[in-house]
Amino acid sequence: MEIRFWGTRGSIPSPGPQTLEFGGNTSCLEVILASGRRIVIDAGTGIRPLGEHLQTSVATVRFHLLLTHNHWDHLLGLPFFAPIYREDTEIMVDGWPLAFQALTRIFDDHMGDGFFPVAWDQLKASISFINRLARGPLLLDDVRIDAIPLNHPQGCLGFRFREMDHTMVFITDNELGLGDGHRFGDFVHFVRGCDLLIHDAQYLPEEIEDHRGWGHSTYEEAVSLALEGGVKRLILTHHDPNRSDAQVREIVVRARRQVAARQGALKLEAAREGDIYRLPEIIPLKKRSPAAAPRNRNQKIQEG
Ligand SMILES: [Zn+2]
Ligand SMILES: [Zn+2]
């Protein structure tokens, strides 16, 4: 399975010179299974450049779109996802049950009261709602996808992908430190032994008390979860919109110190737009410049 970050920012897009390295687009992750099937998680503003990429790289755009929840930083990119204006595009939506409804409301409903001047039923793509994941695992080719409810206002789902012996877990917008470790054990069970855990780390420990109940975690809490669960690699995501690149790098330094203090073997990075991970891991043979291609942190780069 190949995993590519198209949007790593939380709450609101944050373009500008302070966010060039880790990116300013909101939540969007592309997962390509070994079978070649494409799955996209969330439709934040990162889905716009993904759309541009797909227009030029595949003949027909067809994928499952898994929505974690309703909040607008996870939905607002869809009106600018160019393939939805093509008749040959097919999107099968699953995930948080109310999110599909919320997605349709971004568009106009012919009363002029949507957030975007095009009406939902004017979209040319075929967009259907599967509504499977909230009720049980979704099986696609050789991959099993499970969902877990997260600690987040108005609800949110995390997803676990298992392909052969490899597991990737995506948990955005989750408050691990809520109410004396509320459901912490459930999350440890869900992530146990996974190769790659992508987890919300919006806040610093010194910031969290002012943001309790907001539905987000500190990097310390995310690291604790990864260590408890025996995770192999942790990627911190949903960066706060006010966090500069230098401050995100500082979070990584502090988090690695925390791992070292507990003598853990956990590998750890911050999510960066354009980064690609592949399971199973392959050591990079060659790196292209960031301007020419997405950074390729742990995989063989395919030329051509
Ligand atoms: Zn969010
Ligand atoms: Zn949210």
Side-chain angles (χ1 to χ4, degrees):
M1 135 181 44
E2 183 178 285
I3 296 128
R4 179 166 170 176
F5 288 93
W6 290 93
T8 64
R9 195 63 56 171
S11 307
I12 192 165
S14 53
Q18 299 294 313
T19 59
L20 289 175
E21 183 180 349
F22 293 95
N25 279 306
T26 64
S27 184
C28 183
L29 189 80
E30 180 187 23
V31 183
I32 300 175
L33 307 184
S35 63
R37 186 189 291 274
R38 177 174 279 102
I39 298 169
V40 177
I41 304 178
D42 278 344
T45 60
I47 204 169
R48 185 195 60 78
L50 169 59
E52 297 302 312
H53 168 72
L54 294 176
Q55 296 265 65
T56 56
S57 61
V58 298
T60 307
V61 177
R62 183 176 190 274
F63 62 93
H64 283 75
L65 174 62
L66 308 186
L67 299 172
T68 58
H69 65 311
N70 283 19
H71 290 159
W72 69 336
D73 48 323
H74 298 256
L75 302 178
L76 85 168
L78 195 74
F80 298 91
F81 179 66
I84 59 169
Y85 302 99
R86 290 177 48 157
E87 281 179 358
D88 55 356
T89 296
E90 186 179 1
I91 305 174
M92 292 141 284
V93 182
D94 206 331
W96 186 251
L98 295 175
F100 182 73
Q101 201 180 7
L103 199 64
T104 65
R105 288 185 183 153
I106 294 174
F107 295 85
D108 186 29
D109 64 356
H110 299 291
M111 300 291 286
D113 59 358
F115 295 103
F116 192 71
V118 176
W120 174 259
D121 59 14
Q122 289 171 332
L123 299 180
K124 294 193 172 141
S126 159
I127 306 176
S128 56
F129 184 43
I130 296 173
N131 197 16
R132 168 77 216 159
L133 264 169
R135 294 178 286 130
L138 176 64
L139 305 174
L140 295 172
D141 305 329
D142 293 327
V143 175
R144 173 184 167 127
I145 306 170
D146 289 282
I148 184 172
L150 304 180
N151 293 333
H152 197 62
Q154 299 169 291
C156 186
L157 288 178
F159 302 121
R160 179 178 60 207
F161 287 60
R162 171 165 280 275
E163 182 177 72
M164 311 289 276
D165 293 332
H166 299 284
T167 311
M168 183 277 287
V169 178
F170 180 79
I171 296 183
T172 185
D173 295 53
N174 186 36
E175 187 162 353
L176 287 167
L178 191 67
D180 298 326
H182 179 63
R183 297 185 56 235
F184 189 79
D186 292 349
F187 298 121
V188 171
H189 180 71
F190 194 74
V191 307
R192 187 168 308 283
C194 75
D195 297 278
L196 188 64
L197 169 62
I198 303 164
H199 199 284
D200 175 359
Q202 181 152 350
Y203 294 120
L204 304 175
E206 57 267 38
E207 294 169 339
I208 193 67
E209 287 316 314
D210 289 338
H211 300 90
R212 274 289 168 226
W214 288 30
H216 297 287
S217 298
T218 67
Y219 71 83
E220 264 189 10
E221 293 162 344
V223 168
S224 293
L225 173 66
L227 290 172
E228 287 286 321
V231 169
K232 297 187 181 76
R233 184 185 287 265
L234 170 65
I235 304 179
L236 306 171
T237 194
H238 208 273
H239 308 310
D240 190 89
N242 293 320
R243 199 83 66 205
S244 69
D245 289 330
Q247 290 169 328
V248 175
R249 284 197 298 274
E250 177 62 21
I251 283 177
V252 172
V253 169
R254 290 169 66 170
R256 285 179 178 160
R257 264 191 228 129
Q258 183 188 348
V259 173
R262 291 193 36 189
Q263 300 180 323
L266 176 69
K267 294 176 190 161
L268 184 152
E269 283 123 29
R272 195 189 321 235
E273 266 181 46
D275 273 2
I276 298 175
Y277 293 82
R278 183 177 284 173
L279 300 178
E281 272 186 34
I282 301 173
I283 304 300
L285 296 180
K286 184 180 174 184
K287 288 198 175 190
R288 289 176 177 166
S289 72
R295 283 167 291 261
N296 224 310
R297 299 182 66 80
N298 65 339
Q299 70 161 109
K300 175 182 174 182
I301 294 177
Q302 295 184 333
E303 296 293 344

